[in-house]
């Protein structure tokens, strides 16, 4: 918003609005963005020499042929792990998978474009993460054009709640940790560490906030002020969208925000969640809702479309094909091995480094700011 007010940008919009913007004012204009340019669809018959060629294409990322089943479906989209921009990947510290916004948005689009999918059930088990990635994931669900129902697992807090708040109905388990409607931000200031180990750095900058995200020093007073303003903007966006999604007044929602965390049972009472239930309860509700709307006939068999798609069996066996990803997987394996060698308790603490890793990559987070361990 500030960039638009200053004339640095022309318009505030999501990527899915670009086609409409390009065609704006042109009655006969037809604009279509080609996002999968150059990719071909193949069947999955790998027999013979031609099958081997198809297998190699699959390993290189060519999209497989879609399922031919015409039965009505409920798409079950799993949102597991800390939220980050880009593609989903394994945690380098032995924890849960990192949930990539690109992977998630692609899964939602797959469900939205499939005519046989009559509703989406989102299974959330995430403490949150990147504020930007959370917003892009929320937007994809808003634009799916199909009913969305949420089932919360162990944790659906901060960014995990962000992506859930626009759903038609939210289910949580009694012990689910949810809420944490808030934003945190910061960075590592490594100047003291560098001094201790004898590394000297000299930084030349122009502009009082040019070092806002530099890790070579802490925040100056001006930089802290600028960062605080950014965090307030994100918080206002979060609370406004949460209030609209839950059908509350902003002031009413604000009393439940401020980073406060609730169990699923508490969240049902305060209106952040609709009812207690499991994933199966959410799926059954989605099917019943679809039948009530006439999207599914009473005697029809209903299939489940599980998303995101699992990696190919070849990647499970041999690891990522891309050289950069292979190197990362090897490094991650070494870190996990080191963590395991320390013993279970020490390894659990080492997993806390994941938060530090996220903070180093994303200075503004919708992330539950603590870890809760039940023994």
């Amino acid at each position: 918003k500030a960039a638009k007010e200053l004339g640095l940008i022309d318009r505030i919009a999501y990527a899915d609005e670009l086609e409409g913007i390009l065609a704006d004012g042109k009655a006969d204009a037809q604009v279509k963005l080609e996002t999968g340019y150059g990719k071909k669809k193949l069947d999955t018959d790998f027999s013979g020499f031609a099958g081997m060629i198809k297998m190699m294409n699959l390993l290189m990322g060519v999209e497989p042929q879609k399922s031919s089943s015409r039965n009505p479906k409920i798409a079950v989209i799993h949102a597991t792990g800390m939220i980050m921009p880009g593609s989903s990947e394994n945690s380098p510290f032995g924890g849960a998978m990192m949930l990539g916004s690109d992977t998630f948005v692609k899964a939602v689009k797959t469900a939205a474009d499939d005519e046989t999918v009559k509703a989406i059930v989102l299974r959330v088990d995430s403490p949150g993460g990147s504020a930007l990635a959370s917003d892009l994931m929320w937007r994809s669900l808003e634009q799916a054009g199909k009913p969305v129902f949420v089932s919360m697992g162990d944790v659906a807090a901060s960014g995990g709640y962000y992506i859930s708040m626009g759903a038609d109905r939210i289910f949580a388990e009694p012990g689910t940790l949810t809420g944490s409607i808030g934003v945190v931000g910061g960075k590592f200031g490594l100047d003291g560490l560098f001094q201790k180990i004898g590394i000297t750095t000299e930084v030349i900058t122009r502009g009082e906030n040019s070092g806002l995200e530099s890790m070579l020093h802490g925040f100056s007073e001006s930089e802290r002020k600028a960062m605080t303003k950014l965090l307030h903007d994100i918080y206002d966006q979060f609370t406004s969208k949460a209030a609209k999604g839950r059908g509350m007044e902003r002031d009413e929602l604000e009393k439940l925000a401020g980073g406060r965390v609730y169990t699923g049972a508490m969240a049902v009472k305060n209106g952040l969640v609709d009812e207690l239930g499991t994933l199966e309860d959410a799926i059954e509700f989605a099917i019943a809702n679809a039948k009530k709307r006439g999207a599914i006939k009473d005697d029809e068999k209903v299939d489940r479309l599980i998303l995101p798609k699992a990696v190919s069996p070849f990647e499970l066996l041999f690891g990522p094909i891309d050289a950069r990803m292979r190197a990362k997987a090897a490094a991650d394996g070494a870190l996990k091995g080191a963590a395991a060698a320390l013993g279970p308790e020490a390894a659990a603490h080492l997993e806390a480094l994941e938060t530090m890793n996220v903070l180093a990559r994303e200075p503004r987070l919708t992330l539950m700011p603590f870890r809760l361990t039940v023994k």
Side-chain angles (χ1 to χ4, degrees):
K1 289 191 297 182
K4 187 175 187 301
E5 289 168 3
L6 293 170
L8 297 176
I9 63 173
D10 296 301
R11 196 182 299 219
I12 299 170
Y14 290 95
D16 60 77
E17 298 176 281
L18 186 55
E19 290 182 4
I21 292 171
L22 293 173
D24 190 23
K26 304 177 183 69
D28 299 328
Q30 292 185 349
V31 179
K32 185 176 187 299
L33 296 179
E34 185 58 65
T35 56
Y37 185 77
K39 287 188 176 181
K40 297 179 181 178
K41 295 179 181 178
L42 297 175
D43 61 41
T44 52
D45 179 9
F46 299 123
S47 59
F49 179 75
M52 184 176 68
I53 299 300
K54 293 175 186 176
M55 181 185 73
M56 296 305 297
N57 282 328
L58 180 63
L59 288 173
M60 290 186 290
V62 178
E63 295 180 357
Q65 186 175 356
K66 292 181 180 179
S67 171
S68 59
S69 169
R70 301 307 300 170
N71 293 335
K73 300 180 183 67
I74 301 297
V76 180
I77 300 178
H78 290 269
T80 303
M82 206 169 291
I83 296 171
M84 290 296 293
S87 300
S88 296
E89 59 187 51
N90 290 322
S91 163
F93 299 103
M97 173 175 279
M98 304 288 284
L99 173 59
S101 59
D102 289 354
T103 302
F104 181 88
V105 170
K106 183 178 180 181
V108 173
K109 189 176 187 307
T110 297
D113 291 346
D114 191 331
E115 295 179 356
T116 64
V117 171
K118 306 305 179 183
I120 295 172
V121 172
L122 180 64
R123 175 65 171 180
V124 181
D125 195 351
S126 171
S130 163
L132 174 61
S134 299
D135 189 56
L136 295 176
M137 293 161 68
W138 167 86
R139 173 70 179 183
S140 69
L141 291 167
E142 289 287 296
Q143 296 298 303
K146 295 182 179 179
V148 177
F149 307 96
V150 167
S151 166
M152 293 179 169
D154 292 342
V155 182
S158 208
Y161 188 79
Y162 199 120
I163 64 177
S164 307
M165 61 193 181
D168 295 274
R169 194 162 190 83
I170 300 177
F171 293 77
E173 295 169 12
T176 296
L177 290 180
T178 189
S180 190
I181 299 172
V183 57
V184 296
K187 66 174 180 177
F188 293 110
L190 302 179
D191 47 343
L193 172 62
F194 287 165
Q195 289 175 16
K196 287 182 179 180
I197 59 178
I199 297 177
T200 302
T201 60
E202 293 290 341
V203 180
I204 300 172
T205 64
R206 182 178 177 87
E208 60 181 358
N209 295 330
S210 58
L212 180 69
E213 296 185 6
S214 171
M215 296 173 63
L216 296 178
H217 58 77
F219 290 119
S220 67
E221 191 58 37
S222 176
E223 289 168 353
R224 187 178 298 277
K225 193 173 178 182
M227 174 63 82
T228 302
K229 184 180 185 304
L230 290 171
L231 297 181
H232 277 294
D233 286 345
I234 295 170
Y235 181 73
D236 289 344
Q237 174 180 279
F238 195 167
T239 52
S240 296
K241 290 180 176 179
K244 182 178 179 181
R246 298 307 299 161
M248 294 182 182
E249 293 295 327
R250 174 77 179 275
D251 291 343
E252 182 184 2
L253 188 282
E254 177 63 36
K255 294 175 183 177
L256 303 173
R260 298 177 181 89
V261 178
Y262 309 95
T263 64
M266 295 165 66
V268 170
K269 292 180 180 179
N270 64 31
L272 292 180
V273 167
D274 293 298
E275 66 178 277
L276 297 179
T278 64
L279 174 60
E280 290 302 317
D281 291 328
I283 294 173
E284 288 177 11
F285 185 91
I287 294 172
N289 178 269
K291 288 181 177 179
K292 186 177 180 181
R293 291 183 286 111
I296 297 176
K297 296 178 182 177
D298 288 337
D299 58 347
E300 282 187 300
K301 179 186 176 183
V302 180
D303 294 337
R304 297 184 187 184
L305 176 64
I306 307 299
L307 298 167
K309 295 292 187 182
V311 297
S312 70
F314 311 102
E315 288 182 293
L316 286 174
L317 287 172
F318 305 114
I321 299 303
D322 179 76
R324 182 183 63 83
M325 293 304 294
R326 276 206 309 269
K328 181 183 181 304
D332 290 351
L335 276 171
K336 290 177 182 178
L342 293 173
E345 188 170 355
H349 287 293
L350 188 60
E351 287 180 21
L353 291 174
E354 191 60 76
T355 303
M356 299 171 67
N357 177 41
V358 170
L359 185 60
R361 295 164 62 181
E362 286 284 314
R364 291 165 291 278
L365 303 172
T366 47
L367 177 70
M368 189 167 69
F370 59 85
R371 294 189 310 135
L372 180 64
T373 303
V374 179
K375 296 185 178 180

